[in-house]
Amino acid sequence: GEQDHLVEAVKIESPKQFSILDCTLGLASDSIIMTYAYPEARITGLEAALPLWYITKYGLQHFVHDNKEVTNALRRIEAIHGNYIDYLAQADNDSFEVDYFDPMFEVPVEESPQFKPLRGHTVESHIDDIIMSQAMCVARYGVIIKERPFSSVFQKYPPHQLVGGKYSRIGYGVYMKELM
């Protein structure tokens, strides 16, 4: 019931019923938050690292939470093995309302040790002009990027809105297609 910065960032760009392409699914924690907060949302997640994709896909399909709404949220996420570079290049324009990126942070959050074992087993990539352009074509409303507020991504591509509070360790850059 508390405010969540990711949920607020999605709210800026999306109507009540919408679809999200999570380009960096990982363990699906952000997709789980989005589909829990927006039960009408259709979420497709891409994960390039085969072992991580398999574990995440299995968990989304089989894990049963004490709260039935959480279990239902898990089942509404489609996990696809593939990388966003190839996927965006072949996807139709306006295929999703929002494209979401949560790349591994340039400067890791040291207080988040759960990701240390994953480093080296993930497919790390960076947002560049081509990716940003393709993501905007695939998205009907826009793109959201999760990164540290001082990151080079936000320096190179200043967001239309940065959700996350002045003192937050992470920010959600909201890029609205209508303003591009």
Side-chain angles (χ1 to χ4, degrees):
E2 295 181 26
Q3 183 180 13
D4 181 87
H5 295 306
L6 174 56
V7 172
E8 293 302 311
V10 171
K11 187 185 296 182
I12 291 168
E13 298 219 58
S14 302
K16 186 172 177 118
Q17 294 185 9
F18 56 93
S19 59
I20 296 174
L21 176 64
D22 184 342
C23 293
T24 50
L25 185 63
L27 297 173
S29 57
D30 289 339
S31 283
I32 293 167
I33 290 169
M34 290 186 282
T35 193
Y36 183 78
Y38 298 103
E40 301 299 320
R42 177 180 60 87
I43 298 181
T44 302
L46 305 172
E47 179 49 54
L50 183 62
L52 192 52
W53 165 78
Y54 182 78
I55 291 166
T56 300
K57 181 178 176 75
Y58 185 87
L60 292 171
Q61 292 174 343
H62 299 291
F63 181 78
V64 177
H65 193 274
D66 293 339
N67 181 334
K68 187 176 180 177
E69 290 179 25
V70 173
T71 301
N72 290 339
L74 299 175
R75 304 301 185 266
R76 290 192 302 267
I77 301 168
E78 177 186 9
I80 296 174
H81 178 244
N83 69 61
Y84 65 79
I85 296 167
D86 295 335
Y87 192 93
L88 291 172
Q90 58 83 31
D92 293 333
N93 287 352
D94 299 334
S95 299
F96 295 87
E97 273 70 36
V98 175
D99 294 341
Y100 176 72
F101 293 88
D102 177 12
M104 296 297 275
F105 294 152
E106 294 171 346
V107 178
V109 177
E110 295 302 328
E111 296 83 25
S112 298
Q114 70 269 24
F115 287 106
K116 284 185 180 181
L118 295 178
R119 286 195 178 270
H121 301 285
T122 60
V123 176
E124 296 189 33
S125 55
H126 304 282
I127 308 295
D128 60 22
D129 292 343
I130 294 170
I131 294 303
M132 199 64 164
S133 175
Q134 289 175 332
M136 279 298 181
C137 288
V138 172
R140 183 171 292 131
Y141 293 107
V143 172
I144 298 172
I145 300 174
K146 178 181 178 181
E147 235 313 350
R148 305 288 298 272
F150 53 80
S151 74
S152 66
V153 169
F154 293 153
Q155 301 303 311
K156 185 173 182 178
Y157 307 105
H160 296 115
Q161 188 166 350
L162 186 63
V163 178
K166 186 175 180 180
Y167 301 104
S168 180
R169 291 179 298 191
I170 58 171
Y172 297 91
V174 178
Y175 301 85
M176 292 176 266
K177 191 171 185 173
E178 65 186 36
L179 299 176
M180 297 299 276

